[in-house]
Amino acid sequence: MENDPRDEIVEHLASLRAFARSLTRNAASADDLVQDTVVKAWSNIDKFQAGTNMRAWLFTILRNTFYSARRKQKREVADVDGEMAARLSEKPAHDGRLALKDFADAFAELPDEQREALLLIGASGFSYEEAADMCNCAVGTIKSRVNRARKRLAELMELDEDDALEMTDAATVAVVSRPPAA
């Protein structure tokens, strides 16, 4: 009966660890590297040719694993405090799409004058004075239309004043947001 080559892996762990330690200069990293090496060797044992040098095969796997990790590290950005990852994360789009559909349905129920005022002030960014000129009405009338429209949207969408409206569309958020206090 022939010996299983996996049995021989254990014999080389100490020398693998010493080699890994010389490459990484860190005990924990060396242990991780040896573990990765053993996992790769174990899962690819069918590629090992019986009668050849197991030690050399293991050292080659360890060395290749080490240099592959180093090449990968050069392409990566250290993000110790998670700041970079926080900026890259994205909320699931389906929540925004559902909220946007609810908004579109509620927005369609508003009277024409209120929709027009919200679009001019909130989505298009015009001042109350500019919107009043465009609509040929008083500034107070535009302010009143916007205020009534926002209240009605909140009612239709069942939002409390403390609820955050999370949308994927900044223009929609602008339409339903309260203007800054003057």
Side-chain angles (χ1 to χ4, degrees), residues 78-87:
D79 189 21
V80 178
D81 57 1
E83 186 177 320
M84 177 75 80
R87 281 188 270 144

Side-chain angles (χ1 to χ4, degrees), residues 65-136:
T65 302
F66 173 74
Y67 284 112
S68 292
R70 282 197 54 191
R71 281 190 300 274
K72 184 179 174 186
Q73 250 179 350
K74 286 181 182 179
R75 294 186 304 266
E76 294 177 348
V77 175
D79 189 21
V80 178
D81 57 1
E83 186 177 320
M84 177 75 80
R87 281 188 270 144
L88 296 176
S89 64
E90 183 177 324
K91 286 184 55 92
H94 63 282
D95 291 343
R97 282 196 296 272
L98 293 174
L100 191 56
K101 183 183 179 335
D102 292 345
F103 169 79
D105 293 345
F107 191 72
E109 290 190 35
L110 295 177
D112 292 341
E113 297 84 17
Q114 290 179 6
R115 277 199 319 271
E116 177 184 49
L118 272 181
L119 286 171
L120 291 172
I121 300 300
S124 300
F126 290 107
S127 69
Y128 286 107
E129 292 77 16
E130 292 168 325
D133 286 343
M134 286 184 239
C135 294
N136 199 24

Side-chain angles (χ1 to χ4, degrees), residues 18-181:
F19 183 50
R21 184 88 189 253
S22 70
L23 290 174
T24 63
R25 298 185 191 119
N26 178 291
S29 296
D31 289 341
D32 291 344
L33 184 55
V34 170
Q35 181 177 348
D36 291 345
T37 301
V38 170
V39 168
K40 287 180 182 182
W42 194 274
S43 60
N44 292 296
I45 200 70
D46 57 311
K47 295 177 183 167
F48 176 72
Q49 294 177 357
T52 60
N53 190 340
M54 172 65 80
R55 184 171 189 245
W57 187 66
L58 291 170
F59 271 61
T60 302
I61 293 171
L62 187 138
R63 182 184 175 280
N64 290 344
T65 302
F66 173 74
Y67 284 112
S68 292
R70 282 197 54 191
R71 281 190 300 274
K72 184 179 174 186
Q73 250 179 350
K74 286 181 182 179
R75 294 186 304 266
E76 294 177 348
V77 175
D79 189 21
V80 178
D81 57 1
E83 186 177 320
M84 177 75 80
R87 281 188 270 144
L88 296 176
S89 64
E90 183 177 324
K91 286 184 55 92
H94 63 282
D95 291 343
R97 282 196 296 272
L98 293 174
L100 191 56
K101 183 183 179 335
D102 292 345
F103 169 79
D105 293 345
F107 191 72
E109 290 190 35
L110 295 177
D112 292 341
E113 297 84 17
Q114 290 179 6
R115 277 199 319 271
E116 177 184 49
L118 272 181
L119 286 171
L120 291 172
I121 300 300
S124 300
F126 290 107
S127 69
Y128 286 107
E129 292 77 16
E130 292 168 325
D133 286 343
M134 286 184 239
C135 294
N136 199 24
C137 64
V139 173
T141 302
I142 289 292
K143 288 182 178 181
S144 176
R145 288 177 183 170
V146 167
N147 189 41
R148 285 192 311 243
R150 286 183 172 144
K151 282 184 180 177
R152 182 66 182 139
L153 278 177
E155 288 171 12
L156 291 170
M157 295 178 70
E158 299 175 2
L159 297 174
D160 294 328
E161 284 192 30
D162 298 336
D163 288 344
L165 184 60
E166 297 179 12
M167 303 259 181
T168 56
D169 179 12
T172 305
V173 173
V175 166
V176 296
S177 298
R178 297 192 186 282

